[in-house]
């Protein structure tokens, strides 16, 4: 089944063609990052308008890349939530209308299920059951995954998501949005031992996270460093703070992942979402997994952040199990992943 995947939940327009037998045939992404940069974060109305501008040209580009035409497409998968409602509606209405015009089925995909299944697009995919750490700009969750749609939430952030913490810390240091990759780059020149950052909630039992205290600690550290240097944040201080902050987030996530592996007895650990592109996190979790005689899985960096391929893949699995979106075009800005049906199960 050749599936066209459409992702428009936030500030990236992603399109891909995935075939269950031939694999990924084409994939393209347009990032709105530059447009939102001057506002220091995503402006929802601008995001929706830009998806409208970019989506159809991207669909054409991906078809050309794959040597296919729209008449070859057998089904359409679009992100139906969670995300920005206006942005989601662009993908949902384009996807649904296209499916209607081509007389083919469509399905609405859960964005985080897309992230969760992205490592399945790699050469050595994980097998069920596994523990997954979902770390994106809006989510930080530990989930037990027994199959597609069989999700049990083990723990989550009580306040900011890990990606959000990276973005906010970056802003405090005068870096652009999204801050995650910029903090990681700056941290390469820094010494994390220059500061002692807290590892929030790791001394308590359980698998929940909290990053708001770390955010305040970072703000205080940045301000103190500025004050000590005539109001300017020195380059080396910024690099040291970035390194100490990154270490604190990585270590906090690693402690909880280790605990989740121990509690569930699972031998596969999957990390997904934008923050899973972080090199230090991958290295640290690989060490943890080995200590627990487990294996770590993740997607290539381009498929950790938002993309169309993960939506085409997840949609293809659900379409092949017989799932169909109704003709009503809907999107859900809030949509807990545990509400999803197991594959093939009627709602
Ligand atoms: O999954 P994603 O592309 O979008 C959401 O669904 O939110 O995740 C974006 C988040 C941003 O907060 C960004 O700063 C973070 O992922 N991120 C990173 C890295 N690359 C992206 N955080 C840390 N290190 C990175 N290398
Ligand atoms: Zn995402």
């Amino acid at each position: 089944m050749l599936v066209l995947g459409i992702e428009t939940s936030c500030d990236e327009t992603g399109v891909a063609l995935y075939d269950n037998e031939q694999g990924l045939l084409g994939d393209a992404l347009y990032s709105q990052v530059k447009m939102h940069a001057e506002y220091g974060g995503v402006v929802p109305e601008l995001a929706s308008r830009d998806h409208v501008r970019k989506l159809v040209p991207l669909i054409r580009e991906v078809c050309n890349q794959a040597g296919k035409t729209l008449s070859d497409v057998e089904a359409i998968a679009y992100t139906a939530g969670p995300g920005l409602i206006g942005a989601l509606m662009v993908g949902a209405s384009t996807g649904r209308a296209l499916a209607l015009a081509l007389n083919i089925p469509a399905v609405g995909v859960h964005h985080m299920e897309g992230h969760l299944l992205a490592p399945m697009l790699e050469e050595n995919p994980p097998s069920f059951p596994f523990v997954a750490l979902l770390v994106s700009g809006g989510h930080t969750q530990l989930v037990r995954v027994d199959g597609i749609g069989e999700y049990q939430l083990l723990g989550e952030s009580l306040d900011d998501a890990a990606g959000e913490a990276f973005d906010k810390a970056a802003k405090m240091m005068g870096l652009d949005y999204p801050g995650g990759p910029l903090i990681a780059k700056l941290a390469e020149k820094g010494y994390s031992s220059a500061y002692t950052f807290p590892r929030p909630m790791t001394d308590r039992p359980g698998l929940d996270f909290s990053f708001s205290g770390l955010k305040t600690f970072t703000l205080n550290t940045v301000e103190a460093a500025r004050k000590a240097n005539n109001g300017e944040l020195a380059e080396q201080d910024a690099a040291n703070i970035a390194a100490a902050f990154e270490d604190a987030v990585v270590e906090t996530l690693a402690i909880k992942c280790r605990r989740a592996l121990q509690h569930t007895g699972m031998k596969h650990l999957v990390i997904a979402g934008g923050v899973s592109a972080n090199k230090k996190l991958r290295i640290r979790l690989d060490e943890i997994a080995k200590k627990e005689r487990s294996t770590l899985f993740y997607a290539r960096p381009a498929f950790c952040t938002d993309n169309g391929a993960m939506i085409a893949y997840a949609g293809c699995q659900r379409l092949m199990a017989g799932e169909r979106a109704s003709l009503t075009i809907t999107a859900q800005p809030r949509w807990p992943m545990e509400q999803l049906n197991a594959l093939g199960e009627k709602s």
Side-chain angles (χ1 to χ4, degrees):
M1 180 186 269
L2 181 64
V3 178
L4 176 74
I6 297 174
E7 156 62 36
T8 63
S9 68
C10 190
D11 58 346
E12 249 118 28
T13 320
V15 176
L17 273 172
Y18 176 84
D19 181 87
N20 66 302
E21 282 173 6
Q22 298 175 62
L24 192 64
L25 299 181
D27 127 77
L29 187 85
Y30 177 79
S31 172
Q32 307 177 348
V33 158
K34 279 204 190 110
M35 182 182 74
H36 298 292
E38 64 178 291
Y39 305 97
V42 179
V43 184
E45 183 57 24
L46 293 182
S48 315
R49 290 181 196 198
D50 214 43
H51 286 306
V52 171
R53 273 192 289 269
K54 295 298 181 331
L55 186 52
V56 172
L58 273 189
I59 293 174
R60 282 207 192 98
E61 186 186 323
V62 167
C63 285
N64 288 341
Q65 231 184 63
K68 302 281 181 194
T69 64
L70 278 181
S71 55
D72 296 316
V73 175
E74 292 168 288
I76 295 184
Y78 53 84
T79 306
L84 303 169
I85 186 65
L88 287 167
M89 284 308 282
V90 177
S93 49
T94 307
R96 198 65 201 84
L98 207 50
L100 193 62
L102 296 168
N103 198 22
I104 55 174
V107 74
V109 174
H110 191 290
H111 181 78
M112 296 312 291
E113 179 168 81
H115 275 305
L116 176 72
L117 299 178
M120 298 290 187
L121 288 160
E122 302 304 334
E123 220 166 276
N124 290 310
S127 56
F128 301 113
F130 55 76
V131 167
L133 172 71
L134 295 174
V135 267
S136 69
H139 292 77
T140 300
Q141 297 183 322
L142 267 166
V143 186
R144 179 191 162 117
V145 181
D146 285 288
I148 294 178
E150 295 173 57
Y151 309 131
Q152 188 194 335
L153 186 66
L154 302 172
E156 65 181 334
S157 177
L158 306 177
D159 39 59
D160 292 355
E164 194 181 353
F166 267 103
D167 297 337
K168 287 178 177 168
K171 205 171 180 177
M172 291 169 200
M173 287 190 261
L175 301 174
D176 282 340
Y177 173 89
L182 299 175
I183 289 213
K185 190 152 192 291
L186 185 60
E188 285 173 14
K189 289 181 249 156
Y191 299 95
S192 60
S193 55
Y195 298 97
T196 310
F197 273 52
R199 270 79 171 130
M201 290 184 68
T202 50
D203 53 352
R204 272 189 249 172
L207 295 169
D208 285 334
F209 306 90
S210 164
F211 291 106
S212 71
L214 189 58
K215 188 176 63 184
T216 312
F217 190 91
T218 308
L219 182 62
N220 292 340
T221 310
V222 170
E223 279 181 355
R226 276 210 178 102
K227 223 175 177 178
N229 190 50
N230 303 321
E232 288 277 324
L233 186 60
E235 223 173 280
Q236 192 58 51
D237 286 345
N240 292 348
I241 294 171
F245 171 84
E246 188 184 37
D247 261 22
V249 175
V250 165
E251 206 44 40
T252 304
L253 294 172
I255 290 168
K256 297 291 161 93
C257 281
R258 184 170 201 182
R259 222 177 261 178
L261 285 175
Q262 288 168 345
H263 285 191
T264 59
M266 296 278 161
K267 291 294 158 209
H268 286 180
L269 173 64
V270 169
I271 48 168
V275 183
S276 70
N278 186 280
K279 266 194 229 149
K280 270 194 193 158
L281 181 66
R282 290 170 175 225
I283 292 168
R284 187 70 186 111
L285 288 183
D286 198 44
E287 285 170 12
I288 294 280
K290 288 204 172 91
K291 276 188 195 148
E292 296 300 320
R293 298 182 188 284
S294 303
T295 314
L296 177 70
F297 298 86
Y298 44 72
R300 70 196 81 167
F303 292 169
C304 289
T305 45
D306 292 350
N307 65 89
M310 66 183 196
I311 302 303
Y313 178 84
C316 184
Q317 310 311 309
R318 290 201 169 267
L319 284 155
M320 286 199 307
E323 272 184 46
R324 302 289 182 261
S326 75
L327 285 178
T328 317
I329 301 169
T330 54
Q332 302 189 62
R334 286 175 187 279
W335 187 6
M337 206 166 68
E338 311 86 84
Q339 283 180 3
L340 291 174
N341 291 321
L343 204 62
E345 192 182 82
K346 288 260 174 304
S347 56

